[in-house]
């Protein structure tokens, strides 16, 4: 989303909301997973256009139905000599033919320090983190990993600062348990809502669902005949622990 609209006129605002133009986030549904990654630059420069975020969101179902999420984010600072030359040529076209190094760093060549918020379902519990220990020494306003609650959204979020330097990548991950679980009798569904930060166009999101090795995997549910790659038909059943599989 690159444009959000608001009006003090209730009728116009209702129109914006009905057509998804208000910028309102999708609600957190009870019993479902939720994810949103928000980054806000606090470094006092203009390096965000050179940052790419690659997010991997993995959910593992345990034998008892409990769910564990691992979120791995790689942030890459794509500043290089080509970008430096492009910026110098752009500045020259506006009359700044001998741009000072500090201006080049301000407009892209400096480190990117961002305040990160990872929104998750209320009641999530942190299990472990990786790659965040050394990222809080660049600015005085940096902060360590903290789990907080947003009462307006009724979501919890992990808050921390992260720095990535020009021409490098930095990866960090969070593992946390969800306040929801799956049942096998009757079978329940796993659902995930992913919200995107407005105006963010340099992020990719990859979702993977895993399960405990003790669980038996079936191709489809409900039970029925499905066509295999060879064209033959095979009967299928839901995923259940071995003890519950007839």
């Amino acid at each position: 989303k690159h444009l959000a609209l608001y009006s003090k006129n209730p009728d116009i605002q209702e129109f914006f909301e009905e057509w998804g133009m208000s910028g309102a986030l999708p609600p957190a549904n009870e019993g479902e997973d939720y994810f949103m990654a928000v980054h806000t630059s606090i470094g006092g420069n203009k390096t965000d256009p050179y940052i790419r975020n690659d997010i991997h969101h993995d959910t593992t179902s345990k034998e008892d139905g409990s769910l564990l999420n691992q979120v791995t984010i790689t942030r890459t600072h794509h500043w290089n000599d080509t970008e430096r030359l492009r910026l110098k040529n752009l500045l020259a076209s506006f009359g700044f033919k001998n741009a000072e190094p500090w201006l080049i760093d301000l407009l892209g060549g400096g480190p990117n320090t961002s305040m990160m918020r990872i929104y998750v379902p209320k009641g999530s519990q942190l299990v472990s983190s990786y790659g965040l220990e050394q990222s809080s020494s660049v600015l005085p306003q940096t902060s360590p990993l903290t789990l907080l609650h947003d009462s307006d959204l009724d979501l919890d979020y992990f808050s921390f600062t992260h720095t990535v330097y020009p021409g490098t990548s930095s990866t960090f991950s969070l593992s946390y348990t969800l306040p929801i679980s799956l049942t096998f009798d009757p079978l329940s569904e796993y659902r995930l809502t992913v919200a995107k930060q407005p105006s963010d166009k340099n992020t990719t999101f990859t979702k993977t669902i895993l399960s405990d090795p003790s669980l038996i995997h079936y191709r489809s549910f409900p039970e029925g005949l499905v066509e295999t790659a060879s064209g033959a038909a095979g009967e299928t059943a839901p995923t259940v622990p071995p003890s519950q599989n007839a």
Side-chain angles (χ1 to χ4, degrees), residues 120-137:
V120 297
K122 181 176 64 175
S124 299
Q125 295 293 324
L126 179 68
V127 175
S128 63
S129 65
Y130 168 81
L132 297 175
E133 295 78 11
Q134 71 275 22
S135 65
S136 60
S137 59

Side-chain angles (χ1 to χ4, degrees), residues 145-199:
L145 176 63
T146 307
L147 179 59
L148 302 170
H149 180 70
D150 188 315
S151 58
D152 291 332
L153 299 176
D154 198 29
L155 291 167
D156 290 347
Y157 62 93
F158 296 103
S159 176
F160 53 92
T161 52
H162 184 264
T163 298
V164 58
Y165 293 89
T168 69
S169 294
S170 179
T171 299
F172 59 88
S173 65
L174 301 170
S175 294
Y176 55 93
T177 57
L178 292 175
I180 59 175
S181 60
L182 301 179
T183 61
F184 300 109
D185 187 16
L187 285 171
S188 58
E189 293 181 326
Y190 169 80
R191 292 180 178 271
L192 167 68
T193 296
V194 180
K196 173 179 171 292
Q197 181 177 2
S199 78

Side-chain angles (χ1 to χ4, degrees), residues 28 39-40 51 56-57 74 91 97 103 110 115 213 226 237:
H39 54 86
T40 303
I51 304 300
H56 290 262
H57 189 281
T74 299
L91 291 173
K97 296 183 178 180
L103 180 59
M115 176 65 71
V226 295

Side-chain angles (χ1 to χ4, degrees), residues 92-105:
S93 69
F94 286 94
F96 300 94
K97 296 183 178 180
N98 296 303
E100 296 289 340
W102 66 264
L103 180 59
I104 299 298
D105 288 344

Side-chain angles (χ1 to χ4, degrees), residues 1 12 35 45 81 104 119-120 123 135 138 150 173 188 223 231:
K1 188 182 297 291
I12 297 177
F35 178 84
N45 55 26
D81 290 340
I104 299 298
Y119 285 86
V120 297
S135 65
V138 178
D150 188 315
S173 65
S188 58
E223 295 184 58

